[in-house]
Amino acid sequence: AGVVVSSVKMVCGSWCVVVRWVMVMTLLLVLYQHLVTAHVSSETFRKFTINSSLAALQRCPALSVLEIPGYAQLPRVFCSHLCSLNSACRFFSLEGGNCLLQTLKLTPGYDAVSVISGLDSYTVPSTEYDLAFLKPIQAGSTWNGYPNPPSVVNGDMCWTKSTQCSCTDYNKQWITVDLLTSVNLTRIVVTSSFDVDQEYYAKTDIHVGNTGSYTTDAIVASKDGTSPSMPLETFTYNVAVKGRYVTLHRTDNTALCLCSLQVFSD
């Protein structure tokens, strides 16, 4: 009987050690997750995970693809930690056994929910806001195969090919954004296109006024006849004018192409 009791005590002792080890590891994982979450929430951007099949992510190459090690019991926490350590990472996605660290280029003040449906929102602390963001916009024409003009004010700034930007045809080469109210404007920023469309931002007048027509609204700035010197070149025009509509009008018989139109009131 003494042998039996001794054997039971030995088995119980081993089992208790295993249980205690599991409890300790679980507690450490919980604490680790808490620390990571606290660190993540303190970042300028809130890190979060999204579905990697979203079209916008397929256009935006991942910053890096990192294999999730076998010891990582909580892959989302592990990937969140990697994202928090990478200053360029804005969110991450899981694909197979990998962490995909991502960055969706958004102008300061933009809200990711407005750009891609289904994302947890995040905003960048900023003292300025693009007044043209998601405002109604029209174009005199659209080149075949290119998106409608709203693409230049939707906040998505991750372009991998020129057909994701906007181009008019050779007739009615103008684009107008309606700010919905008359505003004192201080800056207008235009991001040109790239690839074969880089040259199509030139000889363009910028009009501001309350009619929405380049024939009546005043010219406040102009792009000369030289083509952009580099792809996705940004042009900033400092203005001091009040108006509801901002119109870009190409003055020769050539297409008008651009990737982004932003309007600010400092």
Side-chain angles (χ1 to χ4, degrees):
V3 173
V4 172
V5 171
S6 176
S7 176
V8 170
K9 286 182 179 179
M10 180 177 65
V11 171
C12 180
S14 300
W15 176 251
C16 291
V17 170
V18 172
V19 171
R20 283 196 296 268
W21 182 84
V22 170
M23 292 177 64
V24 169
M25 291 303 297
T26 301
L27 178 60
L28 288 175
L29 284 173
V30 171
L31 290 174
Y32 174 75
Q33 183 176 9
H34 174 74
L35 290 173
V36 168
T37 302
H39 175 66
V40 166
S41 63
S42 69
E43 298 295 314
T44 301
F45 292 82
R46 172 151 36 108
K47 316 292 183 175
F48 51 88
T49 178
I50 64 177
N51 186 344
S52 61
S53 66
L54 288 172
L57 292 190
Q58 294 172 354
R59 292 208 317 270
C60 304
L63 291 170
S64 58
V65 179
L66 304 172
E67 184 177 0
I68 302 173
Y71 63 79
Q73 299 297 317
L74 300 173
R76 290 180 183 274
V77 175
F78 179 81
C79 293
S80 176
H81 179 58
L82 293 179
C83 186
S84 70
L85 294 176
N86 188 323
S87 60
C89 181
R90 298 296 176 259
F91 52 86
F92 64 89
S93 57
L94 303 178
E95 189 172 285
N98 296 318
C99 297
L100 277 66
L101 305 187
Q102 305 278 8
T103 178
L104 181 63
K105 297 178 182 177
L106 297 175
T107 294
Y110 286 174
D111 187 327
V113 168
S114 301
V115 179
I116 304 176
S117 177
L119 289 186
D120 291 337
S121 66
Y122 69 88
T123 55
V124 186
S126 175
T127 58
E128 60 183 19
Y129 185 80
D130 176 11
L131 299 174
F133 177 50
L134 295 180
K135 293 300 193 302
I137 189 167
Q138 291 183 325
S141 57
T142 301
W143 192 266
N144 187 35
Y146 285 73
N148 291 325
S151 64
V152 302
V153 293
N154 70 1
D156 185 352
M157 301 185 73
C158 185
W159 308 290
T160 59
K161 56 184 179 180
S162 59
T163 51
Q164 294 163 350
C165 300
S166 290
C167 276
T168 69
D169 61 23
Y170 281 52
N171 297 304
K172 299 181 179 180
Q173 56 274 50
W174 55 266
I175 294 176
T176 300
V177 60
D178 180 0
L179 303 178
L180 299 179
T181 186
S182 185
V183 184
N184 290 314
L185 306 182
T186 56
R187 280 184 300 128
I188 298 172
V189 181
V190 177
T191 302
S192 63
S193 192
F194 56 112
D195 296 338
V196 297
D197 295 332
Q198 181 177 328
E199 63 183 283
Y200 291 108
Y201 180 61
K203 294 184 178 179
T204 300
D205 289 335
I206 300 177
H207 301 253
V208 174
N210 293 313
T211 70
S213 172
Y214 66 86
T215 61
T216 53
D217 288 341
I219 298 174
V220 298
S222 296
K223 174 68 178 73
D224 60 21
T226 60
S227 299
S229 60
M230 64 183 72
L232 299 174
E233 186 171 357
T234 297
F235 298 86
T236 299
Y237 304 95
N238 295 315
V239 298
V241 63
K242 185 174 183 179
R244 171 174 173 173
Y245 298 93
V246 177
T247 300
L248 273 62
H249 173 236
R250 179 134 189 178
T251 58
D252 59 359
N253 296 320
T254 309
L256 170 62
C257 299
L258 60 148
C259 287
S260 174
L261 171 60
Q262 300 164 278
V263 179
F264 298 95
S265 177
D266 293 339

